[in-house]
Amino acid sequence: MAKIIPFKAVRPTRAIVGLVAARPYQSYTVDERESRMDYNPYSFLHIVNPGYKYHKAIHGEERYKLVRNRYLEFKEDGVFIQDEKPSLYVYKIVNRHGQEFNGIIAATSAEDYEQNIIKKHEDTIAKREQTFKTYLQTVGFNAEPVLLTYPDNDIIASIIKETQKNYAEFEFTMTYRDTHYLWKLDNEKAINQVQNEFDKMKTIYIADGHHRSASSFLLYEDEKNKNTNHNGSESYNFFMSYLIPESDLVIHEFNRLIKDLNGLTKETFLIKLDYLFRITNRGSIPYTPSKPHHFSMYLDGEFYSLYLRKKRYKFNTALDQLDAELLYKTILQPILGIHNLRNDNRIEYVNGRHEMITIKSSVDSGEFKIGFGMCPATIKQIKNIADEGLKMPPKSTYILPKLRSGITIYEF
């Protein structure tokens, strides 16, 4: 029952796609952004940061209008061209660690989002949703797909594999040494087969892009209510997504760094921990947990393992089983006094691609007092939480692949 449709993507030309493609705007430091824009006139950053042209920071709707102008200039200059025929796009990423991701870029249904066929597992911030909705309405395009995942499907996998035997429309490597490939799938029979397989799926899941999908849904509601001739086929009924099978997802954890012990001495803190955890001092050797409900802790120059005393903690929901929630409910909130994981400036997050030595360095520097490591969530946990209508704490997962902006663009 999940609906996907082909669309006429706006794409960079083959010769310069590697120059156009960019990471999400917020992932760059100011110096990185300016350096890339100084030396690369084709970077998509020029579109999303139009104030660069005037050496001035521009905000709000004035910025959105200039984003629209820069985008149209890229089209007028032939940097972007639009496909003549609606297509699905087979997309492959091979990162520097040899991890491979294969999926399909398509337009997915805002109505499916509304009806919970596209399921969520993270909370969104209403203000950010509204801000991005206004942005979308003004600029008229979506340049970064939402990452969705679906149960492994042999028919879809075979169509992807068969398509990849053809000459790729794009093949380029980014400075992060990720190599990207894109094939256009415009064969109607193959498109219908893919659509039929998705139509059999009761649910698919958002892996990354909760705010983008929520904002696209708000755009759909606005435009539908304004259009007296609405029929469901308009472009605003859909948003661009990259759909990959569950087995291709790579899920890392986010580890936690805390700036103080909430006024407690080290000894008092450890005594409070002992009620719910079996604590073992591991000395100076970095310890990484290998099982759910086991945690690593670094404090005062030493690593500790924390094993949950399960007889003293009840698991009532799928969310209770999640280590990020467990750490919050047993240590961060009741002992360290951190109630708002999103806004408390005493906590910071380090994605699990970095080893525990990063936690050690951050604490040893004196910037933080204590650090915690955990095991990553599984796709099964994420799905169970979404199926129960629950939401994970902020920074519970760091999910790969990370997508680039400006490679395929969906116009409203």
Side-chain angles (χ1 to χ4, degrees), residues 117-141:
I117 294 170
I118 297 175
K119 289 197 171 184
K120 314 91 181 164
H121 66 263
E122 287 184 6
D123 273 328
T124 51
I125 301 170
K127 184 177 180 180
R128 283 184 64 188
E129 291 178 14
Q130 290 290 340
T131 297
F132 195 57
K133 181 206 72 172
T134 303
Y135 170 85
L136 293 174
Q137 283 178 316
T138 305
V139 303
F141 65 83

Side-chain angles (χ1 to χ4, degrees), residues 40-168:
N40 180 4
Y42 298 111
S43 173
F44 194 77
L45 292 172
H46 285 282
I47 292 177
V48 294
N49 188 23
Y52 172 85
K53 182 177 181 178
Y54 304 104
H55 307 288
K56 179 183 177 183
I58 302 173
H59 304 284
E61 291 202 39
E62 182 182 19
R63 173 177 167 252
Y64 306 161
K65 291 175 182 177
L66 290 179
V67 168
R68 176 70 179 170
N69 287 349
R70 293 294 89 75
Y71 172 66
L72 293 176
E73 288 170 6
F74 268 49
K75 290 184 73 175
E76 291 162 3
D77 292 343
V79 175
F80 287 136
I81 56 175
Q82 187 166 25
D83 287 327
E84 295 181 0
K85 186 176 180 181
S87 303
L88 300 177
Y89 300 88
V90 171
Y91 197 68
K92 173 181 174 181
I93 304 171
V94 181
N95 68 20
R96 57 181 169 176
H97 304 292
Q99 295 166 322
E100 187 172 306
F101 310 94
N102 293 278
I104 292 174
I105 296 175
T108 49
S109 168
E111 190 174 7
D112 283 356
Y113 180 92
E114 180 179 28
Q115 295 179 356
N116 213 30
I117 294 170
I118 297 175
K119 289 197 171 184
K120 314 91 181 164
H121 66 263
E122 287 184 6
D123 273 328
T124 51
I125 301 170
K127 184 177 180 180
R128 283 184 64 188
E129 291 178 14
Q130 290 290 340
T131 297
F132 195 57
K133 181 206 72 172
T134 303
Y135 170 85
L136 293 174
Q137 283 178 316
T138 305
V139 303
F141 65 83
N142 192 325
E144 183 184 341
V146 173
L147 182 63
L148 299 180
T149 188
Y150 60 89
D152 286 39
N153 181 289
D154 289 341
I155 293 176
I156 296 175
S158 66
I159 293 172
I160 289 174
K161 189 174 182 179
E162 191 65 27
T163 303
Q164 290 175 340
K165 292 179 181 178
N166 299 322
Y167 186 64

Side-chain angles (χ1 to χ4, degrees), residues 174-192:
M174 305 292 292
T175 53
Y176 268 48
R177 290 181 287 165
D178 294 350
T179 302
H180 298 248
Y181 306 81
L182 180 140
W183 294 263
K184 186 163 61 172
L185 178 59
D186 57 7
N187 178 283
E188 291 186 12
K189 181 180 178 181
I191 289 173
N192 289 336

